[in-house]
């Protein structure tokens, strides 16, 4: 059971980091001076409206058949075996697919945050000779810190209880390499192990509550929304 908790917490942490980095990058690009911004925003939001189980089955086919076939055709040995069959690498596929679905929601929150930053602040920084990276680090991130915290909190809450994508993509395998706490609890209930899984559910709830309280404490007085 410790491995299940370890996978769930590690998966949630990795996915939160990946989602926020990608979502912030997309938000910065889609709020910049580029053509077809509205169209691109619509395209990037599409994964959010598709069912998680459908996404999982599509990517399961891609990882199990499309990529190995491409690897064989191109002579790329690393792609010839499905990543889903490797106990040490299957978690990467779970993180990537989950992040692909979750990024649009985080991106929309970041776009809303970026729209609250006054344009004259950037103009003044540009006049002072600040580079794009300096503006991002010293202006953008501090002013949207509240939105970052919102995405982190929402992400952890959602990823700790991820179920559909893991079931459709790996079904917790190979073996139990990608089995989450939610999967273990549901499987236990189906097998009639009610007492143990009720205790497991309580422990998981307390861990989730503790993480939420820590995140809530970090937001007090430090977030600008």
């Amino acid at each position: 059971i410790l491995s299940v908790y370890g996978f769930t917490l590690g998966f949630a942490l990795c996915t939160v980091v990946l989602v926020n980095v990608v979502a912030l990058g997309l938000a910065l690009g889609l709020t910049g001076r580029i053509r077809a911004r509205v169209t691109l925003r619509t395209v990037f939001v599409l994964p959010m409206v598709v069912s998680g189980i459908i996404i999982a089955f599509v990517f399961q086919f891609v990882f199990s058949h499309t990529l190995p076939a491409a690897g064989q055709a191109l002579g790329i040995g690393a792609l010839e075996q499905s990543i889903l069959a490797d106990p040490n690498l299957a978690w990467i596929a779970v993180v990537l697919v989950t992040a692909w679905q979750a990024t649009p929601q985080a991106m929309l929150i970041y776009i809303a945050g970026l729209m609250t930053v006054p344009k004259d602040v950037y103009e003044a920084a540009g006049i002072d000779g600040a580079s794009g990276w300096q503006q991002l680090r010293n202006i953008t991130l501090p002013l949207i810190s509240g939105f970052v915290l919102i995405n982190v909190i929402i992400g952890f809450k959602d990823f700790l209880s991820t179920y559909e994508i893991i079931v459709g993509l790996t079904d917790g395998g190979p073996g139990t390499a990608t089995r989450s706490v939610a999967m273990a609890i549901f499987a236990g209930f189906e097998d009639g192990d009610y007492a143990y899984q009720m205790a497991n559910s309580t422990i998981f709830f307390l861990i989730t509550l503790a993480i939420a309280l820590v995140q809530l404490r970090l937001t007090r007085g430090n977030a600008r929304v």
Side-chain angles (χ1 to χ4, degrees):
I1 192 66
L2 291 179
S3 63
V4 172
Y5 275 89
F7 166 76
T8 303
L9 293 174
F11 157 77
L13 178 61
C14 292
T15 310
V16 162
V17 173
L18 179 59
V19 166
N20 281 275
V21 170
V22 175
L24 180 57
L26 291 175
L28 289 169
L30 294 176
T31 52
R33 297 178 180 178
I34 61 174
R35 296 180 179 179
R37 286 182 298 177
V38 176
T39 302
L40 289 174
R41 289 178 188 178
T42 303
V43 171
F44 284 122
V45 167
L46 288 178
M48 189 174 64
V49 299
V50 181
S51 170
I53 194 68
I54 294 176
I55 291 174
F57 283 138
V58 170
F59 275 97
Q60 200 274 342
F61 181 85
V62 170
F63 284 120
S64 298
H65 300 89
T66 305
L67 287 181
Q72 293 177 359
L74 298 174
I76 303 176
L79 293 179
E80 292 182 1
Q81 182 179 1
S82 172
I83 191 176
L84 302 179
D86 191 331
N88 297 317
L89 299 177
W91 67 273
I92 298 177
V94 177
V95 169
L96 291 176
V97 176
T98 304
W100 187 80
Q101 185 190 34
T103 295
Q105 177 178 306
M107 181 190 72
L108 292 177
I109 292 175
Y110 280 132
I111 289 176
L114 292 171
M115 288 182 174
T116 66
V117 180
K119 300 299 181 183
D120 55 354
V121 177
Y122 292 115
E123 294 175 359
I127 294 174
D128 291 338
S131 65
W133 167 249
Q134 289 174 328
Q135 291 181 28
L136 174 64
R137 184 182 61 184
N138 299 319
I139 298 175
T140 305
L141 290 179
L143 292 179
I144 66 168
S145 60
F147 295 90
V148 175
L149 288 170
I150 288 172
N151 273 331
V152 170
I153 291 173
I154 293 175
F156 259 111
K157 178 186 72 67
D158 291 342
F159 302 145
L160 285 174
S161 58
T162 295
Y163 181 78
E164 287 183 342
I165 287 181
I166 298 179
V167 169
L169 194 62
T170 65
D171 197 24
T176 58
T178 60
R179 173 169 288 192
S180 66
V181 176
M183 287 188 65
I185 292 173
F186 278 117
F189 282 138
E190 291 177 355
D191 294 337
D193 193 7
Y194 299 109
Y196 181 79
Q197 295 307 330
M198 283 298 294
N200 193 15
S201 301
T202 303
I203 293 173
F204 187 54
F205 168 75
L206 292 175
I207 292 175
T208 306
L209 179 62
I211 293 174
L213 290 175
V214 170
Q215 293 173 333
L216 182 61
R217 185 177 182 84
L218 292 175
T219 63
R220 291 181 178 176
N222 296 319
R224 179 184 182 274
V225 179

